[in-house]
Amino acid sequence: MNYRECAEWLSKRDNFIIITHLRPDGDTLGSAAALCSALRRSGKNAYLFPNPEITQKYVEYVDEFLAESFKHEYGIAVDVAEERMFCNGFNGKVDLCIDHHPTNPHYADELLLHAEKASCGESVLEVIKCLCGDVTSKEASLLYMAVSTDCGCFRYANVTSETFAAASELAACGAEVQKLNFKLFRQVSRARITLEGMISAGLKFYHDGALVVATVTDEMMKIAGATENDCDDIAGIPGKVEGCVVSMVIRELETGKCKVSVRSQPNFDSSVICARFGGGGHKMASGCTVYETPEKVREMMVAAIDEVWA
């Protein structure tokens, strides 16, 4: 469906629960909360499913939209690439999915998919304009959070002229750009600084430095005193190294289970590598979960990249 068809679909229905993904980031939360706000403005009952993994960093932005107990009629997934990425606790039916992941398998009855967008927030912006005719300052701030976090504050290779145009439009609508930039990108905890130092010290280099791999173990988290709140966008750390084409962060979630985040330049398709391990995402930003030790995961992932390296 297109933006207007999506808005019409929403306008004809009521009682929505909005689902975000596992380990929620600024895009899924900001997009979902902005959509929830717009639905309420249009006279609908709408809530966010209470994702138990929302970190303290984002609670203040979404708290007013979370459901305590709500019997919904329709489920909407926002920025959720596949069913296994539904947040913990949700096991219902999804009637509509709004997404920007090209690997989305069309699991919902209705799908609004714009894979060319740097963030899901850009699509939600257009849906809200079709649904309500305008965007409030609060919705603009939520969508700016969505757009800016998914492109690393406009530093990543997924940024296009449309990304900047969306950010400019949101600023014009009253988004608190300076406040959000400071809180989301400039200020970090002591634990985060300590963790970054440990990650940088342990970087592994392959292919003459074109492949950079970082590992974050549970022991490193404990030593740094870090929590999930300190792990936002750690996937971008190894990619800062000069000459890096492909970067990878292997994070130990629990014993024998690791989350892998792969980032790459346009000439390398990271989604192909992650798909081999049951994951997916975008060409230049993908991920997967591998049930092995961090050391074994690094060995497996590097070997898979070696097979396609040109």
Side-chain angles (χ1 to χ4, degrees):
M1 55 171 47
N2 58 38
Y3 297 129
R4 186 158 299 281
E5 289 170 340
C6 183
E8 290 175 354
W9 187 94
L10 292 167
S11 68
K12 293 176 181 178
R13 292 163 177 81
D14 201 353
N15 299 317
F16 301 102
I17 196 75
I18 305 176
I19 305 101
T20 53
H21 61 65
L22 289 171
R23 297 179 292 278
D25 57 14
D27 192 17
T28 190
L29 292 173
S31 297
L35 179 62
C36 188
S37 172
L39 286 168
R40 290 180 179 183
R41 279 203 296 136
S42 62
K44 309 294 184 180
N45 292 314
Y47 293 88
L48 268 62
F49 186 87
N51 189 329
E53 294 185 303
I54 298 174
T55 61
Q56 194 59 41
K57 180 175 185 176
Y58 293 114
V59 167
E60 64 178 289
Y61 304 108
V62 301
D63 190 55
E64 67 181 284
F65 302 106
L66 298 175
E68 292 185 4
S69 60
F70 174 62
K71 188 174 182 180
H72 67 278
E73 293 182 53
Y74 298 95
I76 306 171
V78 177
D79 192 41
V80 184
E82 51 190 310
E83 291 175 287
R84 67 184 182 87
M85 289 299 294
F86 291 159
C87 61
N88 291 325
F90 181 81
N91 56 9
K93 182 177 182 292
V94 174
D95 302 281
L96 168 66
C97 175
I98 302 175
D99 195 18
H100 70 131
H101 295 93
T103 55
N104 188 297
H106 296 210
Y107 59 82
D109 290 347
E110 301 290 344
L111 175 65
L112 175 63
L113 178 65
H114 280 274
E116 78 281 4
K117 299 294 186 182
S119 68
C120 197
E122 294 171 64
S123 291
V124 173
L125 168 62
E126 299 303 322
V127 172
I128 290 176
K129 289 192 293 184
C130 290
L131 182 67
C132 299
D134 62 355
V135 179
T136 68
S137 59
K138 176 178 287 188
E139 290 160 8
S141 288
L142 289 166
L143 290 174
Y144 181 82
M145 178 175 77
V147 173
S148 62
T149 55
D150 234 33
C151 66
C153 202
F154 312 98
R155 292 177 293 124
Y156 294 163
N158 60 344
V159 174
T160 67
S161 59
E162 292 184 355
T163 316
F164 286 116
S168 177
E169 182 176 355
L170 293 169
C173 290
E176 296 182 303
V177 173
Q178 292 180 331
K179 180 180 178 181
L180 287 164
N181 282 346
F182 180 78
K183 295 188 73 172
L184 296 174
F185 303 106
R186 291 184 58 198
Q187 189 175 63
V188 297
S189 67
R190 291 184 182 181
R192 171 59 182 249
I193 290 291
T194 302
L195 184 63
E196 284 192 16
M198 297 171 72
I199 292 172
S200 298
L203 292 176
K204 303 292 185 183
F205 300 90
Y206 306 85
H207 294 279
D208 296 323
L211 169 60
V212 186
V213 182
T215 302
V216 183
T217 64
D218 185 55
E219 183 66 17
M220 290 168 63
M221 294 284 289
K222 290 176 181 177
I223 292 172
T227 67
E228 192 66 37
N229 199 54
D230 303 305
C231 293
D232 202 46
D233 198 33
I234 60 173
I237 294 174
K240 295 178 180 180
V241 178
E242 185 178 7
C244 178
V245 176
V246 181
S247 64
M248 182 191 314
V249 172
I250 300 165
R251 174 151 176 228
E252 184 179 30
L253 299 178
E254 57 188 62
T255 301
K257 179 182 179 181
C258 294
K259 173 191 175 184
V260 182
S261 300
V262 182
R263 302 292 183 265
S264 64
Q265 294 297 321
N267 59 327
F268 189 94
D269 192 342
S270 64
S271 67
V272 172
I273 298 300
C274 290
R276 293 183 58 173
F277 298 91
H282 304 280
K283 181 179 180 180
M284 293 179 287
S286 296
C288 59
T289 300
V290 183
Y291 291 85
E292 273 292 354
T293 65
E295 295 78 12
K296 183 63 175 178
V297 171
R298 183 173 68 242
E299 179 184 319
M300 295 165 63
M301 295 298 297
V302 170
I305 291 174
D306 285 346
E307 290 180 18
V308 299
W309 194 273

